Amino acid sequence: MHFLFLFLVTFLQSPGARAGEIIGGQEVKPHSRPYMAYLTYEIGNGIKKACGAFLIREDFLLSAAHCWGRSIKIILGAHNIKISEDTQQKIPVLRAIPHQKYDNKTFKNDIMLIQLKKKARLNKAVGLLPLPRKKNLIRPGKSCIVAGWGRTLQDRFSDTLQDVEIKVIKDQECMERYPKNYNTSTQICAGDPKQKKSSSQGDSGGPLVCDRVAQGIVSYGFSNGRNPRCYTRIFSFLPWIKKTMNEY
Ligand SMILES: *[C@@H]1O[C@H](CO)[C@@H](O)[C@H](O)[C@H]1NC(C)=O
Ligand SMILES: *[C@@H]1O[C@H](CO)[C@@H](O)[C@H](O)[C@H]1NC(C)=O
């Protein structure tokens, strides 16, 4: 992550880009987003990092490939990740499968499947998020939701799940701001540049939810949380998702 951060600082000539905090959002009603999972991993020297992930089948979650690391742990059914809630399910991870062609310099193919050792128990606090079926479901102007335990405007990580409404905007906006990185066929550009509402550090891997469907995955953007930001376009990875889930 540090190399990637440096790379982007160099090439974007900006305050620096780093992977996706909820900024300008609010605490969600507990367990109203039952597909959300809290993911932690280690990057060496015992340093722990956190991301979001979301449940798409009882035994599979989706996240971002840049959230891959050692000792990946998943907590389902959480609202406050600092306390041990009765609703939480901590299921060991069987394998983490980042996209084979994930490129940590450009964030290309920033998608990862995580298979659990056993199926999650679905209930009011733990549920599935549907994948998209039709590409045309999502257009500029569309309002979507991003949720996560990432950094907030107060510049600290949140103990409780937050969410924020974010609008999909024209690809052109991301092409201009992230010319070396943005790919219109595999990514979604979202977040009004005039608004201080966005995903941010620690929200990476969480879903961009439009009409209760997972359309994007929080991928990358400028380090100051400024909009717009880039999301992995899930629709373009459906064949990979299906094939990979069938293989295991
Ligand atoms: C990025 O990928 C390259 C090649 O696989 C690897 O050598 C490097 O350590 C990676 N960098 C980070 C920050 O993960
Ligand atoms: C965008 O990604 C697709 C799929 O990986 C690739 O075929 C295409 O060449 C990319 N476009 C650009 C401009 O890099």
Side-chain angles (χ1 to χ4, degrees):
M1 277 307 293
H2 289 290
F3 288 120
L4 173 145
F5 175 54
L6 289 176
F7 177 93
L8 289 163
V9 171
T10 313
F11 285 87
L12 294 168
Q13 301 286 325
S14 75
R18 68 186 182 199
E21 10 194 298
I22 298 293
I23 292 181
Q26 62 276 313
E27 184 176 338
V28 307
K29 183 170 157 269
H31 315 300
S32 57
R33 307 209 169 276
Y35 46 81
M36 284 299 299
Y38 184 70
L39 181 161
T40 57
Y41 63 100
E42 282 174 25
I43 53 163
N45 306 324
I47 299 170
K48 261 198 186 173
K49 293 265 188 178
C51 271
F54 51 102
L55 199 64
I56 57 166
R57 208 172 87 177
E58 281 100 324
D59 54 344
F60 270 103
L61 297 99
L62 264 183
S63 185
H66 80 258
C67 295
W68 181 86
R70 267 179 276 162
S71 329
I72 296 181
K73 292 191 174 66
I74 292 286
I75 308 179
L76 294 163
H79 178 63
N80 185 332
I81 42 109
K82 286 284 158 63
I83 59 179
S84 171
E85 300 162 312
D86 292 343
T87 51
Q88 292 181 2
Q89 295 183 37
K90 297 180 181 172
I91 305 176
V93 170
L94 181 59
R95 54 173 70 87
I97 314 150
H99 194 287
Q100 295 81 348
K101 292 195 174 147
Y102 166 60
D103 179 343
N104 66 14
K105 291 190 178 68
T106 60
F107 287 102
K108 211 165 105 181
N109 305 312
D110 194 7
I111 187 167
M112 169 166 72
L113 274 165
I114 292 166
Q115 190 177 18
L116 300 175
K117 275 204 176 125
K118 64 181 184 68
K119 288 184 178 177
R121 266 175 292 114
L122 302 187
N123 53 35
K124 267 169 77 176
V126 176
L128 306 179
L129 183 61
L131 294 174
R133 285 153 186 260
K134 273 198 247 118
K135 194 177 191 172
N136 59 12
L137 274 176
I138 174 157
R139 287 183 197 271
K142 181 92 205 151
S143 272
C144 305
I145 297 279
V146 173
W149 288 271
R151 258 182 222 271
T152 61
L153 205 50
Q154 288 73 39
D155 212 33
R156 54 178 292 274
F157 287 85
S158 178
D159 295 343
T160 54
L161 186 62
Q162 311 277 310
D163 71 5
V164 68
E165 191 180 310
I166 288 175
K167 269 199 170 66
V168 173
I169 63 168
K170 289 197 190 92
D171 289 318
Q172 190 63 31
E173 304 262 355
C174 282
M175 284 160 69
E176 278 166 16
R177 287 174 178 79
Y178 309 98
K180 302 235 183 229
N181 303 61
Y182 192 71
N183 182 311
T184 55
S185 63
T186 59
Q187 293 168 1
I188 294 171
C189 187
D192 181 344
K194 294 190 282 300
Q195 276 191 332
K196 270 207 161 166
K197 282 165 84 176
S198 72
S199 57
S200 81
Q201 204 193 4
D203 294 326
S204 283
L208 178 72
V209 181
C210 318
D211 295 330
R212 296 165 200 247
V213 170
Q215 294 285 357
I217 304 174
V218 180
S219 183
Y220 66 93
F222 294 113
S223 62
N224 57 8
R226 211 168 46 192
N227 284 323
R229 309 179 69 79
C230 309
Y231 297 77
T232 304
R233 193 182 286 274
I234 294 175
F235 184 83
S236 67
F237 290 99
L238 286 182
W240 179 80
I241 294 170
K242 285 183 186 146
K243 180 172 163 279
T244 307
M245 289 201 306
N246 282 340
E247 271 170 24
Y248 295 104

